[in-house]
Amino acid sequence: MKKVKGTRDFLPELANKFKYLEDVFLEVASSFGFENIRVPTFEKTSLFARGVGDTTDIVKKEMFQVISSANMDKYCRGEYSVSKDGITLRPEGTAGVVRMLVENKEYVNLPKKYSYIINAFRNERPQAGRYREFTQLGAELFGSSEPISDVYIIMLLDEYFKKLGLKNYKIKINSIGCKTCRPKYYEELKKYVEPKLDKMCSDCNERFKNNPLRILDCKVDNDIKLISGHPVSVDYLCESCASKFNFVKDNLEKLNIKFEVDASIVRGLDYYCETAFEVHFENIGAKSAIGGGGRYNDLVELIGGPDVPAIGFALGADRIVMALESEGFFDYKEEEKDVYFYSFDEKFAYKILPAFNELRESGFKVEMELNSRSLKSALKYANKNNFKYVVLIGEDEYQNNSVIVKNMKESDQKEVKLENIVEVMKNE
Ligand code: HAM
């Protein structure tokens, strides 16, 4: 049996890299007042259709919709509508977090700040850095429409990458306007695209009618060429959006947070308005976005809650691991372990187990021989697994209430009384 294409096994080395990313994320998010939450892996399909947007590629082409075997018969009889009654493996986290906020009336005491670590699922064509199951580290801030919260969330994002030790990331920001300035921008965009429409793909022809901004996500090379030089949203911002965007840029500069304005950032999900941003890292395969986010002031209401402005982001952990690897970050981080306990006979083991436990509880990385292998095999194993010491007990030591402490790096050894072993190891 083989795993499904686009999914991954996390052997200990890779799992440890993810753990590092996740630990630093939770620590930094918590230092900015973000509380960690968990939401379900699957939600009603209609949540994503409405939240992410039913004209987006994610909803139209990439969602894993689930039918339980009990509903399969109903489905075959035409009594079960996948889009109306169905459930979907989350393609992202924001819609579920908003649903949680609304369902639990968490909006009564705003602002609320949440962090989350989730697996998400998109049926994209797998390639380097693009998986069908991937991990997102997310942060969402509810209840402030002030641009200071845009600065705050980008500050958290930047601080995370700094703490993590990633060097060559680029923060790109844009403003995609609000309900006031969008109609004018869409009009100009449509005017520009219309004469080229008959040469463009059928998806773009549909997007033109339903959601012109989505034309800018088109991945067809010919379409990308045809619309290059299209009007950009920053040139059509209303007074309020323009002043908020200036505030964000101004404050990021004052805080020495490096960023660039990139008018091509429109995001692939429908809920955004005003500030939109992405983090990029080159040379990690075809996809360079290691994170993305922005403001979404209308989503809470769209999901059935009150008028609650919000802003947030999600980072792609799989791609960040690749980015750190490409900078050699993990190269020198081979884990050292402390003590491997070995008994020549299992009946001696009980004598060294109290020392094993005491060292384990004091934070030493300890393991013991569990397979009665020969000393030669056990030493080979201890060496390969980076143990600094092996503690041995044989017949003579058993009789003398002592052990042999073997230093694996310096190849020397000494006999130590059992009652002193913890003390000796702590001083080594
Ligand atoms: P997104 O840009 O769709 O935004 O995804 C965020 C990040 O998830 C991407 O920048 C990328 O690093 C990673 N990612 C996306 N798809 C894949 C994939 N197939 N394989 C590996 N990594 C992937 C969102 O999901 C929004 N919910 C972000 C947000 C939160 N906006 C506001 N709050």
mmCIF file of all heavy atoms in Angstrom, residues 254-292:
data_model
loop_
_atom_site.group_PDB
_atom_site.id
_atom_site.type_symbol
_atom_site.label_atom_id
_atom_site.label_comp_id
_atom_site.label_asym_id
_atom_site.label_seq_id
_atom_site.Cartn_x
_atom_site.Cartn_y
_atom_site.Cartn_z
ATOM 1 N N LYS A 254 8.341 52.947 10.153
ATOM 2 C CA LYS A 254 8.863 53.464 11.441
ATOM 3 C C LYS A 254 9.319 52.324 12.336
ATOM 4 O O LYS A 254 10.203 52.494 13.165
ATOM 5 C CB LYS A 254 7.786 54.288 12.150
ATOM 6 C CG LYS A 254 7.592 55.645 11.499
ATOM 7 C CD LYS A 254 6.572 56.478 12.242
ATOM 8 C CE LYS A 254 6.379 57.815 11.554
ATOM 9 N NZ LYS A 254 4.972 58.202 11.447
ATOM 10 N N LEU A 255 8.692 51.172 12.202
ATOM 11 C CA LEU A 255 9.061 50.028 13.044
ATOM 12 C C LEU A 255 10.207 49.213 12.437
ATOM 13 O O LEU A 255 10.558 48.141 12.945
ATOM 14 C CB LEU A 255 7.841 49.102 13.227
ATOM 15 C CG LEU A 255 6.737 49.676 14.111
ATOM 16 C CD1 LEU A 255 5.436 48.891 13.934
ATOM 17 C CD2 LEU A 255 7.166 49.659 15.568
ATOM 18 N N ASN A 256 10.733 49.708 11.306
ATOM 19 C CA ASN A 256 11.817 48.999 10.608
ATOM 20 C C ASN A 256 11.434 47.603 10.153
ATOM 21 O O ASN A 256 12.256 46.689 10.145
ATOM 22 C CB ASN A 256 13.069 48.898 11.483
ATOM 23 C CG ASN A 256 13.816 50.198 11.495
ATOM 24 O OD1 ASN A 256 13.829 50.909 10.482
ATOM 25 N ND2 ASN A 256 14.403 50.536 12.628
ATOM 26 N N ILE A 257 10.139 47.426 9.822
ATOM 27 C CA ILE A 257 9.707 46.131 9.272
ATOM 28 C C ILE A 257 9.816 46.247 7.750
ATOM 29 O O ILE A 257 9.191 47.117 7.137
ATOM 30 C CB ILE A 257 8.264 45.802 9.707
ATOM 31 C CG1 ILE A 257 8.243 45.593 11.226
ATOM 32 C CG2 ILE A 257 7.717 44.590 8.955
ATOM 33 C CD1 ILE A 257 6.895 45.360 11.835
ATOM 34 N N LYS A 258 10.650 45.376 7.165
ATOM 35 C CA LYS A 258 10.888 45.484 5.719
ATOM 36 C C LYS A 258 9.673 44.950 4.967
ATOM 37 O O LYS A 258 9.177 43.869 5.262
ATOM 38 C CB LYS A 258 12.115 44.656 5.330
ATOM 39 C CG LYS A 258 13.396 45.339 5.677
ATOM 40 C CD LYS A 258 14.542 44.768 4.814
ATOM 41 C CE LYS A 258 15.851 45.081 5.468
ATOM 42 N NZ LYS A 258 16.484 43.939 6.107
ATOM 43 N N PHE A 259 9.213 45.700 3.966
ATOM 44 C CA PHE A 259 8.087 45.248 3.143
ATOM 45 C C PHE A 259 8.192 45.935 1.794
ATOM 46 O O PHE A 259 8.935 46.891 1.632
ATOM 47 C CB PHE A 259 6.749 45.609 3.806
ATOM 48 C CG PHE A 259 6.472 47.089 3.835
ATOM 49 C CD1 PHE A 259 5.720 47.691 2.831
ATOM 50 C CD2 PHE A 259 6.995 47.899 4.841
ATOM 51 C CE1 PHE A 259 5.488 49.063 2.836
ATOM 52 C CE2 PHE A 259 6.770 49.266 4.858
ATOM 53 C CZ PHE A 259 6.019 49.849 3.859
ATOM 54 N N GLU A 260 7.455 45.399 0.810
ATOM 55 C CA GLU A 260 7.318 46.149 -0.431
ATOM 56 C C GLU A 260 5.855 46.178 -0.833
ATOM 57 O O GLU A 260 5.091 45.280 -0.460
ATOM 58 C CB GLU A 260 8.191 45.545 -1.548
ATOM 59 C CG GLU A 260 7.961 44.089 -1.802
ATOM 60 C CD GLU A 260 9.032 43.490 -2.711
ATOM 61 O OE1 GLU A 260 10.199 43.392 -2.261
ATOM 62 O OE2 GLU A 260 8.677 43.142 -3.845
ATOM 63 N N VAL A 261 5.455 47.237 -1.525
ATOM 64 C CA VAL A 261 4.080 47.296 -2.002
ATOM 65 C C VAL A 261 4.039 46.545 -3.322
ATOM 66 O O VAL A 261 4.865 46.767 -4.196
ATOM 67 C CB VAL A 261 3.633 48.760 -2.201
ATOM 68 C CG1 VAL A 261 2.246 48.821 -2.841
ATOM 69 C CG2 VAL A 261 3.640 49.489 -0.868
ATOM 70 N N ASP A 262 3.125 45.590 -3.432
ATOM 71 C CA ASP A 262 3.002 44.808 -4.655
ATOM 72 C C ASP A 262 1.535 44.820 -5.084
ATOM 73 O O ASP A 262 0.685 44.166 -4.489
ATOM 74 C CB ASP A 262 3.485 43.366 -4.389
ATOM 75 C CG ASP A 262 3.487 42.529 -5.657
ATOM 76 O OD1 ASP A 262 2.742 42.881 -6.601
ATOM 77 O OD2 ASP A 262 4.222 41.527 -5.711
ATOM 78 N N ALA A 263 1.270 45.607 -6.129
ATOM 79 C CA ALA A 263 -0.121 45.816 -6.557
ATOM 80 C C ALA A 263 -0.739 44.558 -7.161
ATOM 81 O O ALA A 263 -1.936 44.513 -7.414
ATOM 82 C CB ALA A 263 -0.168 46.962 -7.563
ATOM 83 N N SER A 264 0.089 43.515 -7.370
ATOM 84 C CA SER A 264 -0.474 42.302 -7.983
ATOM 85 C C SER A 264 -1.054 41.349 -6.921
ATOM 86 O O SER A 264 -1.643 40.329 -7.244
ATOM 87 C CB SER A 264 0.607 41.572 -8.789
ATOM 88 O OG SER A 264 1.520 40.969 -7.906
ATOM 89 N N ILE A 265 -0.899 41.693 -5.639
ATOM 90 C CA ILE A 265 -1.430 40.802 -4.593
ATOM 91 C C ILE A 265 -2.929 41.022 -4.447
ATOM 92 O O ILE A 265 -3.372 42.060 -3.933
ATOM 93 C CB ILE A 265 -0.709 41.071 -3.244
ATOM 94 C CG1 ILE A 265 0.768 40.847 -3.441
ATOM 95 C CG2 ILE A 265 -1.338 40.263 -2.092
ATOM 96 C CD1 ILE A 265 1.486 39.909 -2.647
ATOM 97 N N VAL A 266 -3.728 40.049 -4.908
ATOM 98 C CA VAL A 266 -5.190 40.195 -4.768
ATOM 99 C C VAL A 266 -5.781 39.067 -3.938
ATOM 100 O O VAL A 266 -6.950 39.082 -3.611
ATOM 101 C CB VAL A 266 -5.901 40.263 -6.140
ATOM 102 C CG1 VAL A 266 -5.516 41.531 -6.863
ATOM 103 C CG2 VAL A 266 -5.618 39.031 -6.986
ATOM 104 N N ARG A 267 -4.952 38.027 -3.591
ATOM 105 C CA ARG A 267 -5.370 36.892 -2.785
ATOM 106 C C ARG A 267 -6.387 36.030 -3.535
ATOM 107 O O ARG A 267 -7.146 36.508 -4.360
ATOM 108 C CB ARG A 267 -5.945 37.330 -1.431
ATOM 109 C CG ARG A 267 -5.101 38.325 -0.680
ATOM 110 C CD ARG A 267 -3.869 37.689 -0.113
ATOM 111 N NE ARG A 267 -4.211 36.710 0.887
ATOM 112 C CZ ARG A 267 -3.758 35.446 0.874
ATOM 113 N NH1 ARG A 267 -2.950 35.039 -0.070
ATOM 114 N NH2 ARG A 267 -4.092 34.621 1.805
ATOM 115 N N GLY A 268 -6.350 34.735 -3.261
ATOM 116 C CA GLY A 268 -7.208 33.796 -3.997
ATOM 117 C C GLY A 268 -8.517 33.460 -3.296
ATOM 118 O O GLY A 268 -9.211 32.531 -3.692
ATOM 119 N N LEU A 269 -8.841 34.202 -2.226
ATOM 120 C CA LEU A 269 -10.075 33.931 -1.482
ATOM 121 C C LEU A 269 -10.908 35.208 -1.499
ATOM 122 O O LEU A 269 -10.361 36.310 -1.489
ATOM 123 C CB LEU A 269 -9.769 33.512 -0.033
ATOM 124 C CG LEU A 269 -8.813 32.314 0.123
ATOM 125 C CD1 LEU A 269 -7.365 32.775 0.229
ATOM 126 C CD2 LEU A 269 -9.160 31.478 1.346
ATOM 127 N N ASP A 270 -12.246 35.054 -1.488
ATOM 128 C CA ASP A 270 -13.102 36.216 -1.737
ATOM 129 C C ASP A 270 -13.326 37.161 -0.573
ATOM 130 O O ASP A 270 -13.839 38.247 -0.751
ATOM 131 C CB ASP A 270 -14.487 35.724 -2.183
ATOM 132 C CG ASP A 270 -14.536 35.543 -3.683
ATOM 133 O OD1 ASP A 270 -13.556 35.910 -4.359
ATOM 134 O OD2 ASP A 270 -15.555 35.030 -4.174
ATOM 135 N N TYR A 271 -12.961 36.742 0.644
ATOM 136 C CA TYR A 271 -13.423 37.545 1.780
ATOM 137 C C TYR A 271 -12.616 38.806 2.062
ATOM 138 O O TYR A 271 -12.942 39.570 2.951
ATOM 139 C CB TYR A 271 -13.541 36.694 3.052
ATOM 140 C CG TYR A 271 -12.413 35.732 3.380
ATOM 141 C CD1 TYR A 271 -11.133 36.186 3.684
ATOM 142 C CD2 TYR A 271 -12.652 34.360 3.429
ATOM 143 C CE1 TYR A 271 -10.134 35.296 4.023
ATOM 144 C CE2 TYR A 271 -11.660 33.456 3.772
ATOM 145 C CZ TYR A 271 -10.394 33.930 4.070
ATOM 146 O OH TYR A 271 -9.407 33.049 4.412
ATOM 147 N N TYR A 272 -11.564 39.059 1.304
ATOM 148 C CA TYR A 272 -10.674 40.168 1.673
ATOM 149 C C TYR A 272 -11.177 41.550 1.269
ATOM 150 O O TYR A 272 -11.923 41.713 0.300
ATOM 151 C CB TYR A 272 -9.294 39.957 1.054
ATOM 152 C CG TYR A 272 -8.573 38.767 1.640
ATOM 153 C CD1 TYR A 272 -8.388 37.616 0.907
ATOM 154 C CD2 TYR A 272 -8.110 38.806 2.946
ATOM 155 C CE1 TYR A 272 -7.740 36.517 1.442
ATOM 156 C CE2 TYR A 272 -7.456 37.720 3.495
ATOM 157 C CZ TYR A 272 -7.277 36.580 2.742
ATOM 158 O OH TYR A 272 -6.642 35.499 3.289
ATOM 159 N N CYS A 273 -10.720 42.546 2.023
ATOM 160 C CA CYS A 273 -10.915 43.954 1.667
ATOM 161 C C CYS A 273 -9.723 44.727 2.239
ATOM 162 O O CYS A 273 -8.976 44.176 3.046
ATOM 163 C CB CYS A 273 -12.226 44.486 2.256
ATOM 164 S SG CYS A 273 -12.260 44.429 4.047
ATOM 165 N N GLU A 274 -9.561 45.939 1.813
ATOM 166 C CA GLU A 274 -8.477 46.818 2.302
ATOM 167 C C GLU A 274 -7.098 46.119 2.281
ATOM 168 O O GLU A 274 -6.710 45.560 1.276
ATOM 169 C CB GLU A 274 -8.829 47.375 3.694
ATOM 170 C CG GLU A 274 -10.126 48.162 3.665
ATOM 171 C CD GLU A 274 -10.553 48.696 5.018
ATOM 172 O OE1 GLU A 274 -9.775 48.673 5.983
ATOM 173 O OE2 GLU A 274 -11.702 49.159 5.116
ATOM 174 N N THR A 275 -6.420 46.041 3.442
ATOM 175 C CA THR A 275 -5.039 45.522 3.433
ATOM 176 C C THR A 275 -4.982 44.028 3.100
ATOM 177 O O THR A 275 -5.665 43.218 3.725
ATOM 178 C CB THR A 275 -4.385 45.726 4.817
ATOM 179 O OG1 THR A 275 -4.551 47.077 5.196
ATOM 180 C CG2 THR A 275 -2.906 45.375 4.777
ATOM 181 N N ALA A 276 -4.169 43.685 2.089
ATOM 182 C CA ALA A 276 -3.913 42.273 1.773
ATOM 183 C C ALA A 276 -2.396 42.115 1.737
ATOM 184 O O ALA A 276 -1.686 43.043 1.348
ATOM 185 C CB ALA A 276 -4.510 41.921 0.416
ATOM 186 N N PHE A 277 -1.899 40.968 2.194
ATOM 187 C CA PHE A 277 -0.433 40.803 2.200
ATOM 188 C C PHE A 277 -0.045 39.349 1.998
ATOM 189 O O PHE A 277 -0.845 38.437 2.214
ATOM 190 C CB PHE A 277 0.181 41.344 3.503
ATOM 191 C CG PHE A 277 -0.450 40.781 4.754
ATOM 192 C CD1 PHE A 277 0.023 39.605 5.324
ATOM 193 C CD2 PHE A 277 -1.520 41.411 5.352
ATOM 194 C CE1 PHE A 277 -0.560 39.083 6.471
ATOM 195 C CE2 PHE A 277 -2.116 40.900 6.501
ATOM 196 C CZ PHE A 277 -1.629 39.729 7.064
ATOM 197 N N GLU A 278 1.166 39.159 1.553
ATOM 198 C CA GLU A 278 1.727 37.809 1.408
ATOM 199 C C GLU A 278 3.184 37.838 1.855
ATOM 200 O O GLU A 278 3.818 38.899 1.867
ATOM 201 C CB GLU A 278 1.635 37.338 -0.047
ATOM 202 C CG GLU A 278 0.206 36.966 -0.415
ATOM 203 C CD GLU A 278 0.010 36.462 -1.838
ATOM 204 O OE1 GLU A 278 0.979 36.413 -2.617
ATOM 205 O OE2 GLU A 278 -1.134 36.142 -2.163
ATOM 206 N N VAL A 279 3.696 36.670 2.220
ATOM 207 C CA VAL A 279 5.126 36.550 2.518
ATOM 208 C C VAL A 279 5.687 35.592 1.478
ATOM 209 O O VAL A 279 5.095 34.524 1.228
ATOM 210 C CB VAL A 279 5.370 35.960 3.925
ATOM 211 C CG1 VAL A 279 6.843 36.084 4.293
ATOM 212 C CG2 VAL A 279 4.506 36.650 4.954
ATOM 213 N N HIS A 280 6.787 35.980 0.851
ATOM 214 C CA HIS A 280 7.363 35.148 -0.208
ATOM 215 C C HIS A 280 8.795 34.748 0.117
ATOM 216 O O HIS A 280 9.514 35.460 0.821
ATOM 217 C CB HIS A 280 7.317 35.889 -1.549
ATOM 218 C CG HIS A 280 5.935 35.943 -2.121
ATOM 219 N ND1 HIS A 280 5.516 35.138 -3.150
ATOM 220 C CD2 HIS A 280 4.853 36.672 -1.761
ATOM 221 C CE1 HIS A 280 4.245 35.385 -3.412
ATOM 222 N NE2 HIS A 280 3.815 36.323 -2.584
ATOM 223 N N PHE A 281 9.162 33.596 -0.407
ATOM 224 C CA PHE A 281 10.535 33.102 -0.269
ATOM 225 C C PHE A 281 10.862 32.419 -1.590
ATOM 226 O O PHE A 281 10.154 31.484 -1.990
ATOM 227 C CB PHE A 281 10.616 32.096 0.901
ATOM 228 C CG PHE A 281 12.015 31.695 1.223
ATOM 229 C CD1 PHE A 281 12.733 32.333 2.234
ATOM 230 C CD2 PHE A 281 12.646 30.668 0.516
ATOM 231 C CE1 PHE A 281 14.034 31.961 2.528
ATOM 232 C CE2 PHE A 281 13.951 30.289 0.806
ATOM 233 C CZ PHE A 281 14.647 30.936 1.816
ATOM 234 N N GLU A 282 11.912 32.891 -2.270
ATOM 235 C CA GLU A 282 12.225 32.336 -3.598
ATOM 236 C C GLU A 282 12.919 30.982 -3.469
ATOM 237 O O GLU A 282 13.387 30.627 -2.401
ATOM 238 C CB GLU A 282 13.114 33.301 -4.391
ATOM 239 C CG GLU A 282 12.528 34.700 -4.574
ATOM 240 C CD GLU A 282 11.124 34.732 -5.187
ATOM 241 O OE1 GLU A 282 10.812 33.861 -6.026
ATOM 242 O OE2 GLU A 282 10.326 35.618 -4.804
ATOM 243 N N ASN A 283 12.934 30.252 -4.558
ATOM 244 C CA ASN A 283 13.667 28.978 -4.666
ATOM 245 C C ASN A 283 13.166 27.841 -3.784
ATOM 246 O O ASN A 283 13.938 27.052 -3.266
ATOM 247 C CB ASN A 283 15.174 29.161 -4.367
ATOM 248 C CG ASN A 283 15.781 30.218 -5.249
ATOM 249 O OD1 ASN A 283 15.381 30.344 -6.409
ATOM 250 N ND2 ASN A 283 16.693 30.985 -4.709
ATOM 251 N N ILE A 284 11.855 27.762 -3.570
ATOM 252 C CA ILE A 284 11.336 26.566 -2.889
ATOM 253 C C ILE A 284 10.279 25.916 -3.788
ATOM 254 O O ILE A 284 9.201 25.563 -3.353
ATOM 255 C CB ILE A 284 10.716 26.863 -1.503
ATOM 256 C CG1 ILE A 284 9.791 28.092 -1.556
ATOM 257 C CG2 ILE A 284 11.782 27.012 -0.442
ATOM 258 C CD1 ILE A 284 8.860 28.196 -0.385
ATOM 259 N N GLY A 285 10.621 25.786 -5.056
ATOM 260 C CA GLY A 285 9.680 25.173 -5.993
ATOM 261 C C GLY A 285 8.849 26.238 -6.673
ATOM 262 O O GLY A 285 9.117 27.438 -6.554
ATOM 263 N N ALA A 286 7.810 25.787 -7.395
ATOM 264 C CA ALA A 286 7.042 26.699 -8.231
ATOM 265 C C ALA A 286 6.310 27.755 -7.402
ATOM 266 O O ALA A 286 6.078 28.867 -7.850
ATOM 267 C CB ALA A 286 6.036 25.905 -9.051
ATOM 268 N N LYS A 287 5.959 27.399 -6.177
ATOM 269 C CA LYS A 287 5.166 28.311 -5.346
ATOM 270 C C LYS A 287 6.046 29.004 -4.324
ATOM 271 O O LYS A 287 6.726 28.350 -3.539
ATOM 272 C CB LYS A 287 4.089 27.513 -4.604
ATOM 273 C CG LYS A 287 3.021 26.990 -5.530
ATOM 274 C CD LYS A 287 2.040 28.095 -5.800
ATOM 275 C CE LYS A 287 1.194 27.762 -7.000
ATOM 276 N NZ LYS A 287 0.404 28.899 -7.446
ATOM 277 N N SER A 288 6.065 30.349 -4.343
ATOM 278 C CA SER A 288 6.966 31.020 -3.409
ATOM 279 C C SER A 288 6.237 31.612 -2.210
ATOM 280 O O SER A 288 6.875 32.113 -1.299
ATOM 281 C CB SER A 288 7.755 32.110 -4.133
ATOM 282 O OG SER A 288 6.881 33.153 -4.509
ATOM 283 N N ALA A 289 4.897 31.550 -2.186
ATOM 284 C CA ALA A 289 4.178 32.160 -1.054
ATOM 285 C C ALA A 289 4.278 31.263 0.173
ATOM 286 O O ALA A 289 3.816 30.125 0.157
ATOM 287 C CB ALA A 289 2.728 32.406 -1.417
ATOM 288 N N ILE A 290 4.909 31.777 1.231
ATOM 289 C CA ILE A 290 4.985 30.994 2.467
ATOM 290 C C ILE A 290 3.926 31.470 3.463
ATOM 291 O O ILE A 290 3.827 30.949 4.564
ATOM 292 C CB ILE A 290 6.400 31.019 3.109
ATOM 293 C CG1 ILE A 290 6.882 32.453 3.325
ATOM 294 C CG2 ILE A 290 7.395 30.252 2.253
ATOM 295 C CD1 ILE A 290 8.213 32.518 4.102
ATOM 296 N N GLY A 291 3.143 32.451 3.065
ATOM 297 C CA GLY A 291 2.064 32.896 3.946
ATOM 298 C C GLY A 291 1.244 33.963 3.262
ATOM 299 O O GLY A 291 1.684 34.566 2.277
ATOM 300 N N GLY A 292 0.030 34.162 3.769
ATOM 301 C CA GLY A 292 -0.807 35.192 3.186
ATOM 302 C C GLY A 292 -1.936 35.547 4.128
ATOM 303 O O GLY A 292 -2.284 34.771 5.019
#
